[in-house]
Amino acid sequence: MPRVVTVPCLSDNYAYLVVDEATGAAAVVDPSEAGPVLAAARREGVGLGAIWCTHHHFDHVGGNEELAAAVPGLRIYGHASDWGRIPGQTEALDHGGAFPLGTEEVRALHVPGHTLGAVAYWVGGVVFTGDTLFHGGCGRLFEGTPEAMHRSLSGVLGALPGSTRVYCGHEYTVANLRFARTVEPGNPAVEIRLAECAALAARGQATVGATLGVERRTNPFLRTSSPEVRAFVGLGPDAPDAEVLGALRRAKDGFRG
Ligand SMILES: [Zn+2]
């Protein structure tokens, strides 16, 4: 498993340094700003070889060009369909595309929904999900359909082992879990996780890095088959999961917890 260093950027974004301890090879996920990323790389004593972009939004790629200027030969990965939207992109990925980080193999997972070119990066038991899967929630459907987001969350990311550690693009966890508690007041796992994350947030600590297993127990967007989730959006057992997800996402858009 690579070492993951959380790098807070902007107001609530996270970039991540990903370090292969065996070789010292390092990459950065979603550098919205160059300054904090370069400082973290210096502090950790690692040299950056690549940027892994989860999608083209400015608060995920804003530091690309400054980093490329500071680090000659830097490779910049993103989905093939985001070519022209990701500044400085040098590598075009398709679903399942693999490339190395030192001794580790990284695999790109195409997860459209938030945007059409959204990619998650899976490496050594860790997954970087950008704005597709958040702790306790999912991203807004800017370009994709509820069907696409459901497939990305429950089909693609859902196929990864429950022990996989999740690192997402924003610190939205407490707000997401407050919504989750409203959706599923009868799910004690949500209440426990909310208390844990609220305590972390109160100390100014990041809540990221929980497992997919925790998400499956607490994230309503991965629980569209739950009768309580369905009842919340007024849908019964016969409604397709994607319809439940779409209704949940609309409810979250209007939720002020
Ligand atoms: Zn985004």
Side-chain angles (χ1 to χ4, degrees):
M1 184 180 286
R3 188 155 61 91
V4 178
V5 179
T6 301
V7 184
C9 291
L10 303 177
S11 62
D12 55 28
N13 278 81
Y14 288 125
Y16 299 100
L17 283 185
V18 194
V19 182
D20 174 39
E21 301 267 42
T23 59
V28 59
V29 181
D30 285 359
S32 42
E33 301 177 274
V37 170
L38 289 170
R42 254 193 316 272
R43 202 166 54 235
E44 300 292 328
V46 298
L48 279 183
I51 299 176
W52 305 347
C53 305
T54 62
H55 64 299
H56 72 286
H57 284 159
F58 181 77
D59 60 322
H60 297 257
V61 300
N64 281 15
E65 286 179 325
E66 197 179 331
L67 286 174
V71 183
L74 194 68
R75 290 171 189 259
I76 303 183
Y77 291 87
H79 192 257
S81 69
D82 267 346
W83 197 270
R85 303 207 291 184
I86 291 178
Q89 185 173 358
T90 66
E91 316 294 322
L93 295 165
D94 287 315
H95 182 66
F99 57 93
L101 172 74
T103 56
E104 299 270 11
E105 184 182 72
V106 188
R107 204 164 273 280
L109 306 172
H110 186 207
V111 284
H114 177 65
T115 66
L116 293 177
V119 170
Y121 294 89
W122 187 53
V123 53
V126 172
V127 68
F128 299 93
T129 57
D131 291 356
T132 300
L133 174 65
F134 292 124
H135 288 311
C138 75
R140 285 176 187 260
L141 303 179
F142 285 121
E143 298 179 356
T145 59
E147 287 75 15
M149 184 58 109
H150 173 65
R151 208 176 312 119
S152 294
L153 290 176
S154 291
V156 178
L157 296 174
L160 300 177
S163 58
T164 305
R165 300 247 162 222
V166 176
Y167 291 90
C168 55
H170 290 269
E171 183 59 70
Y172 291 161
T173 311
V174 169
N176 283 342
L177 289 169
R178 286 198 180 118
F179 176 71
R181 180 174 59 182
T182 306
V183 175
E184 275 192 298
N187 180 350
V190 171
E191 197 64 51
I192 293 165
R193 174 99 171 115
L194 176 56
E196 288 169 359
C197 292
L200 284 172
R203 295 198 296 271
Q205 291 175 356
T207 62
V208 294
T211 64
L212 266 180
V214 167
E215 290 309 305
R216 288 183 187 124
R217 291 192 289 278
T218 58
N219 188 328
F221 294 91
L222 295 179
R223 298 175 54 74
T224 48
S225 59
S226 147
E228 198 175 11
V229 170
R230 287 175 171 242
F232 176 79
V233 291
L235 290 168
D238 297 333
D241 286 294
E243 188 181 344
V244 177
L245 186 146
L248 261 187
R249 188 56 259 185
R250 283 192 298 279
K252 175 68 171 64
D253 289 346
F255 180 72
R256 298 289 172 267

